[in-house]
Amino acid sequence: MAEMPIPQVDPQQQPLDPSTNPDGSATVDMDETPLEIEEMDDGSAVVYENEEFKGPDEDEDFYSNLAETVKLSELDTISLRYLDMIDKDKQAREQRDKQYEDGLRRTGLGNDSPGGANFQGASKVVHPVMAEACVDFAARAIKELFPADGPVRTNIIGEATEEKSDIAERKRDYMNWQLTEQIVEFRDEEEQLLTQLPLGGSQFMKLWWDDKKKRPCAEFVPIDNILLPFAAGSFYTAQRVTEIQDISEWEFKNRIDRGLYKDVDFIRSVMEPDPTRPEKANQKIEGKEYQDNSDGLRRVFHIYTWLELEDDKRTKGESAPYIMMIDDNGRDVLGLYRNWEEGDESMEKLDWITEYKFIPWRGAYAIGLPHLIGGLTAALTGTLRALLDSAHINNAATMLKLKGAKISGQSQTVEVTQITEIEGAPGVNDVRALAMPMPFNPPSQVLFTLLCWLTSAAKGVVTTTEEKIADINANAPVGTTQALIEQGAAVFSAIHARLHDSQRRMLMILQRINRWYLEDQKKSYIVEDLGVKKDDFRRNGDVLPVSDPHIFSETQRMAQMQAVFAMMKDNPSLFDARAVISRALKQMKVPNIAELMPEYSKPMELNAADENASMTMGRHATAYPRQDHIAHIKTHLLYANDPVLGGNPIIAPSFIPAVLEHLKQHLSLYYTDVVKHYSTVPINQHKIKYEDNKLAPEIDRLIAVASQHVALDSQKSLGSIVPMIQKLQQVMNGFQAQPPMDGEAQAVLQASMAETQRRAARDKADIQIKQAQIAQDIQEQQRKEQFEAAMNTENNLTDERMKTLGLTVEAARLKHEQSQTATDLQDVLQRNLKGEQQ
């Protein structure tokens, strides 16, 4: 059994007291007080002072064994009173222990399951529904609570600053190492807890510091070793919690030597402590049988309770939480320790034991499978035994013999497959006239149908829909699969959420132990470089169990990932494809994901030359606010446009896209810096906050005015770099890589390119012919224009001539007419003369 988790202190360590001033006031060294500092936008800072709780290495006296100093008479009075209360708590728990015992017996693993017939050869088989449910539950739960990488993950509350992330990651890595390697027994103890949880309803896990091993230790505590008062409503709020520890004489002396128990005179225990009823049933399953108490086992009670001790100067008689250890044999108080942290004025009780619940019910104890399906399990076992007994009887050589019929000779034993001769009575020729087989009924079909129904009803309480999901079409909608999982595993889902919360409480206890004893722990070389410190464990909320309270099966996770991939396909710009694929690979348990998808190196603040070198080698560069952005931009552009360096064909394809992305960072930071330069001073002077709805419009107008100055400054400072950026953009467009093609596509592309070339040659010839035709048409048009010009000139000259010669023509016409008239007159005269002569 494990020892009590009481802080072990160094005797040479002195408590830290504040220095005292002459006036009686105390001066506290701020360097030793844990502080949280939050920087404000205006440059001021808000300091939050944490509560200062002291561990055992800071106050030895507070965590000492008070059993050495409290009056013996007072201790004896307390011991008798609490031993009497423990007896009453045991009596109140008898029926509960019987239920746990029945559950263990009904698994059939101890060959003592109740029920069935009592005749010789009757079947003692047990239906496996109870054992199967326990094994199935434990297998599913341990996979979620304790994966191979460790059971701890980070959980940043609020703004995820770099400091918070570093602390949480250090704690996560260290605690995963602790639970997988340092506390070697942890996984085994947790698996025992999970196999017993369905049977007991509630089970417990205990953590404590072992000063000899120099590490935390873990132990599974079964429910029959935890006693609660009859009136208790919850384990964590019970007035007292008693842990029963059966330890050997060697362990008892060891605890006295190490100072956990005070030195008392004790007598060797002769009789072994009475085991609980569940413990007896479990011993049959393990095949253990009591011989003698050669190890000197003795029972010690560790009681977590509230006491009013007048001798305790820290409480002044007020009720406070303590841990008291009482030897059952000698009735002596072996240990009495304060169970709150030094510096905690509220004296809040410290938890060392974590409760795991199966199905919570009314009261302090949860219920398990014996309560849920205990009756069904008994019916299943009885039905199965009845069927087997019926088959056995029908195959047995049982018969009736006629009374008075005598057969000479001795009785014969008939062996199977053998022929045996017997002598008949006088006058009897038929053996069936003397004896007949027993008329037993064959196995009933009704019993078999009942067995199937009972099995389905029992499994329906804690089953999942894995069987139904296996029959679903692979192309079924994700929502359908998810609905089936949630519907069929509602019970298991709720249990898994409770296990997650219990694991969280257990991790908080481990963090407290680390905060107290981190410097004393033996550390492996694996975690030496983590740089984990005691102050890292002052916060308890930044690490959580790696299990998800909403997801409890691989099928559910794969359905979820399928939905994520479907959404990413429809909205690729909204998802980080690398993160999605990495999560899917982890989900499929693919080993060495870092080899398949190397992690990007963490960004570092570099000068401009180192940034150029980093981007040349294919790594990313990050801009920071306090840099000279103009100088960085010019340095990057000069390097990129240098044909020997950034513009080199072997460098440019990878460097130019990276530097353009990096330039966007510098430009955005330059813009915000200049805007702040013009607007921050008046905002700080008047203590204006943008969150104030009344002042937000004023700030917007102020920034609008500042933007005008920013525009002028940017034109002056950055106007010359825009052409250089455009040139880099053109160069990058020329580097656009073509996707690889297969042989058929390449052949089609070559044929298409050949056809394109032929068409281009034909089009070129057509263009040349058209150009020649156009040139000829132009020449013809020019000749026509020249001819028309010449004709126009000639026509103009002709018109002038005609005008000049017009009169001559008209004069000639008149002269001709005159001449014709004269001729006509002469002819008339001549005719007249001839007539007169005649």
Side-chain angles (χ1 to χ4, degrees), residues 765-820:
D766 292 343
I767 291 173
Q768 290 176 352
I769 293 173
K770 289 181 180 180
Q771 289 177 347
Q773 185 66 36
I774 291 172
Q776 185 177 359
D777 293 342
I778 292 174
Q779 292 177 359
E780 184 66 24
Q781 183 66 26
Q782 290 177 350
R783 286 195 297 270
K784 287 182 179 181
E785 290 177 354
Q786 292 176 357
F787 177 76
E788 289 177 356
M791 289 300 296
N792 290 335
T793 303
E794 183 65 24
N795 290 336
N796 291 335
L797 293 175
T798 302
D799 291 341
E800 293 294 332
R801 293 193 191 97
M802 289 298 296
K803 289 180 180 179
T804 305
L805 298 176
L807 295 176
T808 304
V809 174
E810 183 66 21
R813 184 179 66 76
L814 293 174
K815 185 178 179 179
H816 175 71
E817 291 178 352
Q818 292 176 358
S819 176
Q820 186 66 31

Side-chain angles (χ1 to χ4, degrees), residues 503-513 540:
Q503 192 91 326
R504 178 187 63 83
R505 290 175 177 267
M506 185 274 300
L507 293 180
M508 292 177 65
I509 297 175
L510 181 59
Q511 290 186 76
R512 183 172 71 244
I513 294 174
N540 289 331

Side-chain angles (χ1 to χ4, degrees), residues 457-469:
K459 288 187 175 181
V461 177
V462 291
T463 189
T464 62
T465 55
E466 299 294 334
E467 296 82 4
K468 297 180 181 179
I469 293 172

Side-chain angles (χ1 to χ4, degrees), residues 70-80 311:
V70 176
K71 296 177 182 178
L72 184 60
S73 59
E74 185 175 359
L75 292 179
D76 291 340
T77 303
I78 294 175
S79 173
L80 293 176
D311 291 345

Side-chain angles (χ1 to χ4, degrees), residues 629-638 663 666-667 718 721:
H629 304 293
I630 300 297
H632 272 255
I633 291 172
K634 290 182 178 179
T635 303
H636 297 323
L637 288 175
L638 290 173
L663 289 176
H666 278 297
L667 289 172
L718 303 174
I721 70 171

